Amino acid sequence: MALAQRSRNASLLAGGTLVGLVVLAALVSFGWTPHDPLRVEATDRLLGPTGRYVFGTDRFGRDVASQLLVGARSTLYVGVVAVGLAALVGTPLGILAGMSRRWLGEFVMRANDLVLAFPALLLAIMFGAVFGAGTLTAMIAIGIATVPSFARIARSGTLQVMSTEYVLAARAAGRSPAFIARRHVLPNIAGLVIVQCSVSFAIAVLAEAALSFLGFGTRPPTPSWGRMLQESQELLAVEPRLALIPGIAIALAVLGFNLLGDGLRDRFDPRLEAYR
Amino acid sequence: MTVLRVDELSVSAGGQSLVRDVSFQIGAGERVGLIGESGSGKTLTASSVLGLLPDGLHATGSVRLGEQELLGASERTLSRLRGMEISMVFQEPMTALNPSMRVGSQVAEPMLLHGTRPDRRAARSAAVELFDSVRLPDPEGTARAYPHQLSGGQRQRVLLAIALANDPALLICDEPTTALDVTVQAQILALILAATRERDTALLFITHDLAVVASVCERVLVMLDGEIIESGGTREVLSSPRHEYTGKLLAASDLEAR
């Protein structure tokens, strides 16, 4: 048991550290970067890692390390927009579906299934084609595509809470559905929603990378890890470093968010409460 | 003084009748047991009194609390009475408390809801006093605890405190000790006895445990297939049952060697 507990804490700690690093990189980039990430230096093209350029330069002579730092901003930005949208829309919808009469709940969930039928990336590409490619458009699309997963989780949690006697007691005492949702349902499904957030965050980061790679995400010249990958594809054979560095950054960030989600789930799971 | 008077209460679902012609009265300070096997209609009878029958079930007859008719009363009237004049202690102390709320606030809730205490602070201190009266250790600290930090017996004490918060005229206990082990059971029963005596509260105690009925109730009603088949003083019914079924119940509980 002590071992299990340690491994739970370990994933929370490791996830927290990795996510913390991404946040730190983004924050630092506002005040300081080794070089101007957008400055093109024709004489310094495709330099390997040196004292002057820690991770070297790309084919335009831009500093990779600086781009990595500034790119962390895009990564966090897309995560916050996409996950924030999905959580703020999906959770209330799920609670509504779980608390309302059967036909309304069914209606919400079937509408949910309809959205679920669209692959997130396809939706984002569609949005990009209609509203113009950009980070915000892409992330709103990813957010909309993620709404169903929040609605489902919130609904199943709500159904569970609604069957308990403290909710029966609150209803019997004449408490309004809004009060019950706020006071009884939301606090008890918050753990589930937070965990879903961290998992969706990882998915959003990957989606941004994929969309930027396809040219539907972050517009040049704004640095983003996905765009760094995209720009490196022609040089994959010559300079694999240019693909590896943003690739590793993405992998570590996603791993961090997943571990954080795992750790948070264990912390919030009431069934594990007794063992702590 | 009669607190609760149930006359010819029947509950049916569609064409099927689940409870038939149940009549009984409970006076102030009187403790009445309702016994019978699972599915005999005990809980449905209690739900009818509270106006909490599941959807699709229909009750006829009369249920009067003092002068107030409860069957067919508006939801507003009922919600004013519940938690104020009638309270209930549930069977499962685990799901009856909100795991994300401190238990002190959960006890303060019915007092604030019915306006029996002027503000949150007064309700909080009343909650702490209640915790003291149901003999929870460290009432101040317990009020700040979450349900998972308490044992099953402590949680059941919290539920009792919630039920007693507004000094109800009628307390309904639906198998309040089933989920507890035997020693804790005895403590909770003693507490229910003391609390109802102190406040002159009428008690309707639902159980299938004859030993519990014998230690708590003055009168007992035996239900079988939705009907009351025998009623009378606890001692008479349990020592010389007139109905065959009551005899069987007794024999069965002897076999369990309590």
Side-chain angles (χ1 to χ4, degrees):
Chain A
M1 197 189 85
L3 194 70
Q5 187 168 355
R6 206 170 305 145
S7 85
R8 279 209 298 276
N9 288 343
S11 73
L12 194 63
L13 191 70
T17 310
L18 287 173
V19 171
L21 279 176
V22 178
V23 174
L24 190 70
L27 287 178
V28 165
S29 78
F30 281 105
W32 172 86
T33 50
H35 301 273
D36 180 350
L38 302 181
R39 196 191 55 189
V40 175
E41 199 76 66
T43 51
D44 288 347
R45 287 165 56 190
L46 293 175
L47 289 181
T50 58
R52 190 163 141 71
Y53 300 107
V54 186
F55 289 140
T57 58
D58 66 5
R59 59 175 167 163
F60 301 114
R62 293 177 302 193
D63 177 32
V64 172
S66 305
Q67 289 206 49
L68 208 60
L69 287 179
V70 178
R73 281 190 228 162
S74 308
T75 299
L76 288 176
Y77 172 60
V78 301
V80 169
V81 172
V83 174
L85 178 73
L88 289 181
V89 175
T91 311
L93 271 182
I95 294 177
L96 178 74
M99 286 183 69
S100 54
R101 289 163 195 283
R102 180 176 288 198
W103 65 266
L104 184 59
E106 283 297 313
F107 177 76
V108 171
M109 292 323 285
R110 294 297 80 78
N112 215 33
D113 290 345
L114 203 67
V115 179
L116 203 60
F118 285 93
L121 285 179
L122 201 63
L123 197 70
I125 292 170
M126 226 161 71
F127 268 52
V130 176
F131 302 109
T135 320
L136 191 62
T137 332
M139 283 311 114
I140 288 175
I142 299 291
I144 290 173
T146 319
V147 164
S149 64
F150 277 89
R152 281 184 173 277
I153 287 222
R155 175 173 172 266
S156 77
T158 303
L159 288 176
Q160 217 171 349
V161 173
M162 290 306 284
S163 69
T164 57
E165 282 148 354
Y166 57 87
V167 170
L168 177 69
R171 281 164 59 192
R175 284 298 197 186
S176 69
F179 180 92
I180 292 172
R182 204 175 58 239
R183 189 73 172 270
H184 295 299
V185 176
L186 195 57
N188 283 310
I189 66 168
L192 291 172
V193 173
I194 289 171
V195 172
Q196 185 62 27
C197 279
S198 81
V199 175
S200 305
F201 213 109
I203 295 172
V205 168
L206 277 180
E208 191 270 347
L211 285 168
S212 299
F213 181 82
L214 294 171
F216 281 97
T218 310
R219 312 286 306 263
T222 314
S224 115
W225 295 350
R227 276 217 7 201
M228 290 169 75
L229 261 185
Q230 182 214 2
E231 287 170 358
S232 73
Q233 63 176 323
E234 290 157 27
L235 301 166
L236 210 54
V238 198
E239 272 294 0
R241 167 181 58 90
L242 288 179
L244 276 177
I245 288 170
I248 289 170
I250 292 169
L252 286 180
V254 170
L255 179 69
F257 281 115
N258 274 323
L259 285 176
L260 188 67
D262 263 7
L264 285 176
R265 186 202 52 215
D266 293 341
R267 257 207 107 74
F268 279 99
D269 193 335
R271 281 168 302 180
L272 300 170
E273 200 70 67
Y275 301 105
R276 209 171 296 134
Chain B
M1 194 190 86
T2 308
V3 173
L4 181 74
R5 174 195 282 273
V6 175
D7 275 316
E8 297 183 351
L9 173 74
S10 297
V11 179
S12 57
Q16 202 185 356
S17 115
L18 301 170
V19 172
R20 274 181 305 280
D21 290 334
V22 165
S23 303
F24 62 92
Q25 300 179 18
I26 308 179
E30 202 184 5
R31 300 184 301 276
V32 176
L34 188 56
I35 61 175
E37 60 194 15
S38 301
S40 59
K42 305 178 305 246
T43 301
L44 280 180
T45 305
S47 304
S48 312
V49 172
L50 283 158
L52 288 178
L53 280 177
D55 286 341
L57 298 192
H58 184 68
T60 56
S62 157
V63 176
R64 294 179 84 84
L65 183 77
E67 294 302 305
Q68 174 77 46
E69 174 63 51
L70 300 183
L71 274 195
S74 72
E75 193 55 32
R76 266 189 70 173
T77 313
L78 287 173
S79 65
R80 266 203 301 271
L81 293 171
R82 294 178 194 132
M84 185 70 195
E85 300 293 327
I86 319 175
S87 306
M88 178 141 179
V89 176
F90 291 104
Q91 187 179 122
E92 181 52 69
M94 196 64 219
T95 56
L97 291 169
N98 182 339
S100 64
M101 254 172 102
R102 294 177 198 277
V103 292
S105 320
Q106 305 198 44
V107 179
E109 175 85 14
M111 298 189 257
L112 293 168
L113 184 68
H114 292 285
T116 51
R117 298 294 186 287
D119 55 31
R120 195 160 284 279
R121 176 179 300 222
R124 288 283 305 200
S125 61
V128 173
E129 277 168 39
L130 273 167
F131 282 160
D132 192 40
S133 80
V134 294
R135 290 183 211 114
L136 275 162
D138 180 21
E140 289 275 348
T142 306
R144 282 191 301 272
Y146 287 98
H148 74 262
Q149 294 168 311
L150 306 177
S151 70
Q154 288 172 330
R155 281 197 283 257
Q156 199 55 283
R157 283 166 201 260
V158 171
L159 282 183
L160 190 61
I162 294 176
L164 295 172
N166 290 327
D167 287 332
L170 173 66
L171 178 66
I172 300 178
C173 296
D174 189 357
E175 307 199 12
T177 56
T178 316
L180 304 172
D181 68 57
V182 180
T183 43
V184 181
Q185 226 176 49
Q187 294 166 5
I188 298 286
L189 292 176
L191 208 54
I192 292 176
L193 264 181
T196 48
R197 270 197 191 124
E198 204 174 283
R199 294 170 171 79
D200 214 21
T201 310
L203 176 69
L204 179 61
F205 197 100
I206 300 173
T207 183
H208 52 240
D209 189 331
L210 295 181
V212 169
V213 167
S215 65
V216 175
C217 301
E218 302 159 318
R219 270 196 309 129
V220 62
L221 312 165
V222 184
M223 278 190 92
L224 173 66
D225 295 335
E227 283 177 81
I228 292 184
I229 51 164
E230 182 159 4
S231 66
T234 307
R235 190 165 301 187
E236 301 153 37
V237 172
L238 295 190
S239 55
S240 49
R242 270 169 292 161
H243 197 282
E244 185 194 4
Y245 174 72
T246 317
K248 277 188 192 160
L249 266 183
L250 277 170
S253 79
D254 278 344
L255 287 178
E256 286 172 33
R258 287 185 186 275

